[in-house]
Amino acid sequence: MPELPEVETIKETLRPQLRGRVITGAELRLPRLLKIPEPDVFITLLKDKEIRDLSRRGKYLLVHLSDSHHLVFHLGMTGQLLYFPGNAPICKHTHLIFDLHNEHQLCFRDMRTFGKVYLVAVNELNLIRGLSTLGPEPLGPKFTPAYLTKALSGRRAAIKAILLNQKVLAGLGNIYGDESLFKAGIHPTRRASSLAGDEILSLHRAIGEVLTAGIRHRGTSFRDYVDGEGKSGHFQEHLAVYGRYQKPCLRCGTSLERTRVVGRSSVYCPRCQPL
DNA sequence: AGTCAAACCTGGGCGC
DNA sequence: TGCGCCCAGGTTTGAC
């Protein structure tokens, strides 16, 4: 599941490879992944565009092209973007292939096809609904304890649900959400408005620390994630709760429990994260 | 307006 | 060996 640290790592590994490359053509093998524009327009628009830079916003990866267009990817659950020399190995989950001027290829693979691709002019980025409604970057200056306090006030929903809401905060998913709540000692089903001031401070700090550690370890390769060069991350070796249901808590030894919040499983320590 | 459940999708693991 | 079932979950959509 590519969340913020995974997309950040993909961006960083692809940037030195893609900067300055010219796209000579593209093959779209699964058209339904392309949301904007129509496939023929997409192919025409891409041709001969130069890749100027790459950036990330939440879980979205943006490829800045010449002529003020952005190629935007959301990797869904199992999406991968891979840079290959020469002819890339085409597996059945390769849905989009970009040919580059240096005889290399950029491939978009996605087993479960939850990923999305867009090509829009810079002044039309607001057409991408999920991107334009994103909340602040959790590692950016706008994500302050005061912002989090305001975002949680009056909210009856579970704190875990709020953390997964991309309109509140951009880039957290199930892995880093669970890890942040454990680090802050907060039960995932706690009503958001019930958090005390010191708990909000603790959660704010935990989110920053968990995401920073995730990036430092080049992401979490729990199932499918690899970076732009096909390499796995290492944060799965440092997970405290995610994927550790019924295993002993690393802090107190209590068997970890699991609950469901807005349709997603949440693993937590009943002792370190009391209700 | 806020909240939740269902739908989209495929492979892995399980019981029988 | 193979079938049916459940699970994983980011986002959108529709219902209440």
Side-chain angles (χ1 to χ4, degrees), chain A residues 13-21 83 100 102 104 229:
Chain A
T13 55
L14 286 180
R15 173 186 272 149
Q17 310 282 16
L18 295 183
R19 249 176 159 164
R21 304 297 181 206
Y83 180 73
L100 305 174
N102 65 343
H104 283 50
E229 296 167 333

Side-chain angles (χ1 to χ4, degrees), chain A residues 3-244:
Chain A
E3 304 178 26
L4 188 153
E6 288 74 37
V7 181
E8 179 69 22
T9 305
I10 292 170
K11 183 201 74 180
E12 286 301 312
T13 55
L14 286 180
R15 173 186 272 149
Q17 310 282 16
L18 295 183
R19 249 176 159 164
R21 304 297 181 206
V22 174
I23 298 171
T24 55
E27 183 189 353
L28 180 62
R29 299 161 62 97
L30 188 61
R32 68 179 158 82
L33 296 187
L34 178 67
K35 305 303 173 182
I36 303 175
E38 292 302 313
D40 53 337
V41 180
F42 176 75
I43 302 289
T44 307
L45 274 175
L46 274 179
K47 191 158 168 46
D48 300 326
K49 291 281 191 295
E50 181 189 332
I51 298 173
R52 292 278 164 80
D53 202 2
L54 275 72
S55 64
R56 179 195 59 73
R57 179 77 172 93
K59 301 173 192 172
Y60 288 83
L61 181 71
L62 290 81
V63 179
H64 305 211
L65 303 177
S66 52
D67 208 13
S68 297
H69 276 71
H70 278 9
L71 182 57
V72 180
F73 296 92
H74 191 293
L75 301 178
M77 287 186 58
T78 55
Q80 303 178 337
L81 267 175
L82 295 157
Y83 180 73
F84 287 107
N87 287 320
I90 306 301
C91 70
K92 70 177 192 174
H93 302 302
T94 300
H95 306 310
L96 180 54
I97 305 156
F98 300 91
D99 296 313
L100 305 174
H101 200 251
N102 65 343
E103 309 288 314
H104 283 50
Q105 290 182 322
L106 177 68
C107 289
F108 179 55
R109 292 182 180 170
D110 189 0
M111 185 178 71
R112 288 184 206 172
T113 69
F114 276 27
K116 296 180 174 74
V117 182
Y118 311 81
L119 177 60
V120 296
V122 172
N123 60 7
E124 288 179 340
L125 278 170
N126 60 331
L127 293 177
I128 305 172
R129 181 61 60 88
L131 178 64
S132 60
T133 56
L134 282 179
E137 284 291 322
L139 297 177
K142 289 182 185 166
F143 181 58
T144 59
Y147 171 83
L148 187 58
T149 302
K150 201 166 184 178
L152 301 186
S153 74
R155 292 281 204 139
R156 298 172 56 83
I159 182 63
K160 174 75 181 290
I162 303 290
L163 292 185
L164 294 177
N165 184 342
Q166 304 298 298
K167 297 186 184 76
V168 173
L169 198 56
L172 240 59
N174 216 27
I175 298 175
Y176 297 95
D178 273 6
E179 293 298 313
S180 297
L181 287 169
F182 172 77
K183 192 153 203 170
I186 297 168
H187 194 286
T189 64
R190 279 277 301 280
R191 193 173 278 199
S193 57
S194 76
L195 265 63
D198 62 330
E199 291 179 310
I200 296 177
L201 277 180
S202 171
L203 180 58
H204 176 269
R205 177 199 293 244
I207 290 168
E209 289 177 352
V210 164
L211 291 176
T212 302
I215 293 170
R216 190 169 66 243
H217 292 284
R218 310 184 62 76
T220 303
S221 292
F222 198 79
R223 286 196 178 81
D224 308 283
Y225 165 73
V226 289
D227 67 17
E229 296 167 333
K231 290 192 290 214
S232 294
H234 300 284
F235 196 61
Q236 65 276 10
E237 297 152 24
H238 303 272
L239 295 174
V241 286
Y242 183 87
R244 298 195 64 247

